[in-house]
Amino acid sequence: MIEIDGRRLNARLQAFAAIGGTRKGGVNRQALTEEDRRARRLLAELAWARGFSVFQDPMANLFIRRAGQDETLPPMLIGSHLDSQPAGGRFDGALGTLSAFEVLESLEDAGIETERPVVVVAWTNEEGCRFAPGCMGSMAFAAGEIPAEWQQKLATDGAAFAGELKATIESLPRAQMLPLGFPIHAYLEVHIEQGPSLEAGGISIGVVTGIQGTRWLNVEITGQTAHAGTTGLAYRRDPLRALTTALSGLYEMIMPSDPDARFTIGRISVEPGSVNAIPDKACCTVDIRHPDPARLDELERSIASGITTEAERQRCTVAISRSFDMPPCTFAADLQQVVERAAAERGLESMNMLSGAFHDALFVNRVAPSALIFVPCLDGLSHNEAEHVEPEHIIAGCQVLAQATLLLVSTADS
Amino acid sequence: MIEIDGRRLNARLQAFAAIGGTRKGGVNRQALTEEDRRARRLLAELAWARGFSVFQDPMANLFIRRAGQDETLPPMLIGSHLDSQPAGGRFDGALGTLSAFEVLESLEDAGIETERPVVVVAWTNEEGCRFAPGCMGSMAFAAGEIPAEWQQKLATDGAAFAGELKATIESLPRAQMLPLGFPIHAYLEVHIEQGPSLEAGGISIGVVTGIQGTRWLNVEITGQTAHAGTTGLAYRRDPLRALTTALSGLYEMIMPSDPDARFTIGRISVEPGSVNAIPDKACCTVDIRHPDPARLDELERSIASGITTEAERQRCTVAISRSFDMPPCTFAADLQQVVERAAAERGLESMNMLSGAFHDALFVNRVAPSALIFVPCLDGLSHNEAEHVEPEHIIAGCQVLAQATLLLVSTADS
């Protein structure tokens, strides 16, 4: 048994929420921005203050290591991310990262020596909103390399990925550099559910069995700009008419007929963007999710066909490309059992569930057994400044993480 | 009779097209930008070089005056505008302004003394794309005052209207300042048709009988942002679903059933604008036009009702406001006859037609008899970088303007 310090954890969450804090009580701390760097620096300072060592890798993944009795053993890895959505909440990512750091401090406070080292991680760019795709840090860690094409990426605000990555790494000059990817024993991540199931069931711990697949598309329809007042219907080639008509049909078709499907248009824009000019370009992003990879393919085909049909009807051309494609995953059953046992040992009810959102654990699961622990959030709200987690659930999640970590580092060799 | 210099006029059009010229051969010279100021300075320099006097008023309307025999008579006003759409053509506005200046130079070249002074005008912000509404310059001139609320306006690029207006005026320190609005005898404006009728009829001169009404709306639908992957349909309050569904229905309903109606969405945006977040805000502009004011009211009601219905279906709220409301206008019959006579005297065929676009002439018509002369443009294309006018039509338009001006300044007292 190990007791975490709930007051310290709550205070930490407040301190980090102030970095990039918004007027509405949320957080705007997008990946590789100055706010992101400030959060990373604060975590590193807290680590150094406790005598832990701080590392980072070429993806700016940040690691905090507490030594084990046998330093040759692959470490137990726990953590999450610190970056946020542009109008994000204070718990998405930060909860898991700071809970993991709280576990490290609690081990230190209790003077518990673990056989394996325990390493806390804050993965880079989980959100994927400033630079797509999401989970860049954990994806590159699992692959052992940074995809070459990432170097050319530009942020939605125009900043270059390569430069922002370099500046972020350099903002922590005291942290030692590690090569990308190293052997780990297992990975545990606490995260808010970002959905309503735990709250609805009155259950404080979700044991995540797997993650649905996600695919992101970029849609660009090209027509012809012309004067809004003089151009009759026969002369119009309006890409926005094509796009809105196609989307209207897809909204009606996809989610209402398949409760497991998710279909979201998060960005839409037109060019030239003048009140009295018919646009010549209409663009949007598409986010589709499904636990079944075959249905994901079907959905992508329906979307492409719906948009192409409407574009042709308006005598427009269309280009659709994938910017992200993440197949569904299943987590290791034995690790799920460790989490269930940890919850039971703390007297907490748990339930198995599928994750609607992807998380870093999905990618780490490719190289080591991983588990994802969910805690309820108010009204299932996330990616929203009003995102909220009750203190009792914060503490429960951290306790289960601490207990499961202890179970995993006390077991014999890997 | 008076002969204009077609070669000089074409060279001038080329010179001005280079100011804010785009790679695709169009022009980006939005109102009150540095490009707009450069075009104004060039016109003023050309005027001073010919010994004309240069004035501007508090709306930065730019006037070039050639003295008359009786300087106490209200001047004959001719001109158009120099600002463009963000991806605009080289003739929209510039053609009328530079044709008017060509008339002034031709009068000077021929040594023709006119009883009345002749004044060329370049109106400020006809396009209304950087600062809404359009025709700010002529509207304020006709009203004799600048509406107080304009001072607070912000550009689409964030610039403040008041500051940009001041800087534009100050960029021509040698030009004398006039108070806003002064008596004029009549107003003539040459403009490209921005539609296909003249080209289709093989006719080089359009005598505009009136202008259809225009109304601009700002639509803002508010829902709730949430995670794209975790949020099931029952929990979504998606304002973009509401907006695209409403627009799809409106596109289908308005123009196909009423050939006189125009319905255009030129801008659309969502917040927070993240690929994996359901938006909490979806906004668009609406541009509706109709020759019949009662139908404009009906259309506005249909749009508001269509959008409100879909917003409520998605449990969203909606706010719709007017940013521009211009009733239809009819031009003075006797001035139309002067233009017809001028065309006939130059051996050019003309036809009467309604204008789909609003123009500065509509506002000047409120304080003095005004007429609008159209010339054909290729494929009816305008608000497009590919906008093109054949040199013969450029010359024809300018000749008719010169002839009509002469007819109006030679007639006896006003």
Side-chain angles (χ1 to χ4, degrees):
Chain A
M1 278 293 197
I2 170 175
E3 294 302 326
I4 64 109
D5 182 342
R7 286 217 307 199
R8 177 169 60 192
L9 176 56
N10 272 306
R12 288 276 155 75
L13 280 161
Q14 281 186 30
F16 277 77
I19 304 175
T22 63
R23 280 188 309 169
K24 290 186 187 165
V27 170
N28 179 1
R29 192 169 60 223
Q30 294 180 72
L32 305 180
T33 57
E34 184 50 36
E35 288 72 29
D36 191 16
R37 289 170 206 154
R38 282 176 51 207
R40 293 159 46 83
R41 278 198 298 270
L42 176 54
L43 188 61
E45 293 297 341
L46 293 169
W48 283 315
R50 292 302 302 250
F52 304 139
S53 40
V54 178
F55 304 87
Q56 50 186 345
D57 68 18
M59 262 306 296
N61 293 316
L62 181 64
F63 301 97
I64 294 161
R65 181 184 178 101
R66 182 170 183 263
Q69 291 165 321
D70 184 348
E71 281 286 280
T72 66
L73 289 177
M76 176 69 212
L77 191 66
I78 55 178
S80 189
H81 62 98
L82 285 173
D83 66 306
S84 84
Q85 291 280 319
R90 26 171 82 196
F91 300 97
D92 177 358
L95 180 70
T97 308
L98 298 176
S99 292
F101 188 71
E102 175 57 36
V103 170
L104 221 58
E105 289 200 276
S106 302
L107 288 170
E108 189 72 9
D109 292 341
I112 297 174
E113 295 201 5
T114 60
E115 191 180 8
R116 300 180 175 280
V118 180
V119 173
V120 169
V121 61
W123 301 109
T124 295
N125 188 28
E126 193 269 350
E127 296 292 354
C129 46
R130 187 169 178 239
F131 297 101
C135 293
M136 274 186 168
S138 50
M139 199 186 302
F141 180 87
E145 62 178 4
I146 302 179
E149 69 270 21
W150 287 6
Q151 300 299 336
Q152 313 310 323
K153 282 189 186 289
L154 293 180
T156 46
D157 54 25
F161 172 74
E164 293 291 72
L165 180 63
K166 184 163 177 283
T168 301
I169 290 171
E170 287 173 354
S171 72
L172 269 181
R174 277 179 61 201
Q176 204 182 309
M177 282 301 288
L178 280 183
L180 200 60
F182 51 82
I184 57 172
H185 177 59
Y187 175 64
L188 287 179
E189 177 170 1
V190 168
H191 207 283
I192 57 171
E193 180 196 343
Q194 306 184 291
S197 308
L198 288 172
E199 187 181 54
I203 292 171
S204 52
I205 298 296
V207 180
V208 182
T209 57
I211 298 188
Q212 65 184 356
T214 301
R215 209 165 276 180
W216 289 354
L217 310 176
N218 284 322
V219 175
E220 183 178 301
I221 308 182
T222 304
Q224 186 173 50
T225 185
H227 193 291
T230 59
T231 314
L233 197 53
Y235 297 90
R236 291 187 178 220
R237 293 173 49 206
D238 186 340
L240 185 59
R241 180 173 178 188
L243 184 59
T244 55
T245 304
L247 291 180
S248 162
L250 292 167
Y251 278 121
E252 199 56 48
M253 182 186 78
I254 296 175
M255 288 182 66
S257 68
D258 180 350
D260 288 337
R262 299 286 179 269
F263 170 75
T264 304
I265 309 299
R267 287 188 189 134
I268 189 167
S269 62
V270 287
E271 291 176 19
S274 188
V275 55
N276 52 353
I278 298 160
D280 58 3
K281 209 167 278 259
C283 302
C284 74
T285 58
V286 182
D287 177 312
I288 44 175
R289 317 230 177 176
H290 207 281
D292 175 2
R295 271 292 285 155
L296 270 182
D297 289 339
E298 269 176 47
L299 287 173
E300 183 174 349
R301 279 195 299 271
S302 303
I303 291 164
S305 135
I307 290 172
T308 304
T309 301
E310 291 303 328
E312 286 172 355
R313 196 166 283 168
Q314 302 304 325
R315 297 176 296 133
C316 295
T317 57
V318 58
I320 300 179
S321 60
R322 279 191 201 168
S323 69
F324 186 51
D325 180 22
M326 199 199 61
C329 97
T330 306
F331 289 118
D334 55 347
L335 223 57
Q336 292 178 38
Q337 285 158 14
V338 170
V339 175
E340 279 167 24
R341 183 178 149 198
E345 286 180 0
R346 301 301 318 192
L348 296 164
E349 203 179 348
S350 67
M351 67 183 261
N352 288 347
M353 58 192 305
L354 197 71
S355 171
F358 59 80
H359 292 285
D360 293 303
L362 184 151
F363 294 94
V364 186
N365 192 50
R366 295 177 179 176
V367 289
S370 301
L372 186 57
I373 303 164
F374 274 174
V375 296
C377 56
L378 191 68
D379 297 333
L381 260 191
S382 183
H383 287 197
N384 187 308
E385 292 165 277
E387 184 185 272
H388 178 73
V389 183
E390 290 298 328
E392 62 180 285
H393 297 312
I394 294 172
I395 292 168
C398 187
Q399 277 294 15
V400 171
L401 177 67
Q403 197 68 17
T405 302
L406 212 53
L407 289 170
L408 287 162
V409 292
S410 324
T411 51
D413 211 342
S414 57
Chain B
M1 279 292 196
I2 170 174
E3 294 301 328
I4 64 108
D5 182 343
R7 287 217 307 199
R8 176 170 62 193
L9 176 54
N10 272 305
R12 288 276 155 75
L13 280 162
Q14 281 186 29
F16 277 77
I19 305 174
T22 63
R23 281 188 309 168
K24 291 187 187 166
V27 171
N28 179 2
R29 192 168 61 223
Q30 294 180 71
L32 306 181
T33 58
E34 185 49 37
E35 289 72 28
D36 191 16
R37 288 171 206 154
R38 282 175 52 207
R40 294 159 46 83
R41 278 198 297 270
L42 176 55
L43 188 61
E45 293 297 339
L46 293 170
W48 282 315
R50 293 302 303 248
F52 304 139
S53 40
V54 177
F55 303 88
Q56 52 186 343
D57 68 18
M59 262 307 295
N61 293 315
L62 181 64
F63 301 96
I64 294 161
R65 181 185 179 99
R66 181 170 186 264
Q69 290 166 320
D70 184 348
E71 283 285 281
T72 66
L73 289 177
M76 176 69 211
L77 191 66
I78 56 178
S80 188
H81 62 98
L82 285 174
D83 66 306
S84 85
Q85 290 280 319
R90 27 172 81 196
F91 300 98
D92 177 359
L95 179 72
T97 308
L98 298 176
S99 291
F101 188 70
E102 175 59 34
V103 170
L104 222 58
E105 289 199 275
S106 302
L107 289 170
E108 190 73 10
D109 292 341
I112 297 174
E113 295 203 2
T114 60
E115 192 181 8
R116 297 180 178 282
V118 180
V119 172
V120 169
V121 61
W123 300 109
T124 296
N125 188 28
E126 193 270 349
E127 296 294 353
C129 46
R130 187 168 178 240
F131 297 100
C135 292
M136 274 185 168
S138 51
M139 200 186 300
F141 179 89
E145 61 178 5
I146 302 179
E149 68 272 20
W150 288 5
Q151 301 298 337
Q152 313 310 322
K153 281 190 187 288
L154 293 181
T156 47
D157 53 25
F161 171 76
E164 293 290 72
L165 179 64
K166 184 162 177 283
T168 301
I169 290 170
E170 288 173 354
S171 72
L172 269 179
R174 278 180 60 200
Q176 204 181 310
M177 282 301 289
L178 282 182
L180 199 62
F182 50 81
I184 57 174
H185 179 56
Y187 175 65
L188 286 179
E189 178 170 0
V190 168
H191 207 282
I192 57 171
E193 180 196 343
Q194 307 183 292
S197 308
L198 287 173
E199 187 182 53
I203 292 171
S204 52
I205 298 295
V207 181
V208 181
T209 56
I211 298 188
Q212 65 185 355
T214 300
R215 209 165 276 179
W216 289 354
L217 310 176
N218 285 322
V219 175
E220 183 178 302
I221 308 182
T222 303
Q224 186 173 51
T225 186
H227 193 290
T230 58
T231 314
L233 196 53
Y235 296 92
R236 291 187 177 220
R237 294 173 48 206
D238 186 340
L240 185 59
R241 178 172 180 188
L243 185 58
T244 55
T245 304
L247 291 181
S248 163
L250 293 167
Y251 279 120
E252 199 56 48
M253 181 185 79
I254 296 175
M255 288 181 67
S257 68
D258 180 349
D260 289 336
R262 299 287 179 270
F263 171 74
T264 304
I265 309 300
R267 286 188 191 135
I268 189 167
S269 62
V270 287
E271 290 175 18
S274 188
V275 55
N276 53 352
I278 298 160
D280 59 2
K281 210 167 278 262
C283 302
C284 74
T285 58
V286 182
D287 177 312
I288 44 175
R289 317 230 178 176
H290 207 282
D292 174 1
R295 271 292 284 154
L296 270 182
D297 288 339
E298 269 177 46
L299 287 173
E300 182 174 347
R301 279 195 299 271
S302 302
I303 291 165
S305 135
I307 291 173
T308 304
T309 301
E310 290 303 328
E312 285 171 356
R313 195 166 285 167
Q314 303 303 326
R315 297 175 297 135
C316 295
T317 57
V318 58
I320 301 179
S321 59
R322 279 190 201 171
S323 68
F324 186 51
D325 180 23
M326 199 199 61
C329 98
T330 305
F331 289 119
D334 55 347
L335 222 57
Q336 292 179 38
Q337 284 157 15
V338 170
V339 175
E340 279 166 26
R341 184 178 148 198
E345 286 179 1
R346 301 300 317 194
L348 295 163
E349 204 179 348
S350 68
M351 67 182 262
N352 287 348
M353 60 193 303
L354 197 70
S355 171
F358 59 81
H359 292 284
D360 292 302
L362 183 151
F363 294 94
V364 187
N365 192 52
R366 294 177 179 176
V367 289
S370 301
L372 186 56
I373 304 165
F374 273 174
V375 296
C377 56
L378 190 69
D379 297 332
L381 260 192
S382 182
H383 287 196
N384 187 308
E385 291 164 279
E387 184 185 273
H388 179 73
V389 183
E390 291 298 327
E392 63 180 286
H393 297 312
I394 293 171
I395 292 168
C398 186
Q399 278 293 14
V400 171
L401 177 66
Q403 198 68 18
T405 302
L406 213 55
L407 289 170
L408 287 163
V409 292
S410 325
T411 53
D413 210 340
S414 57

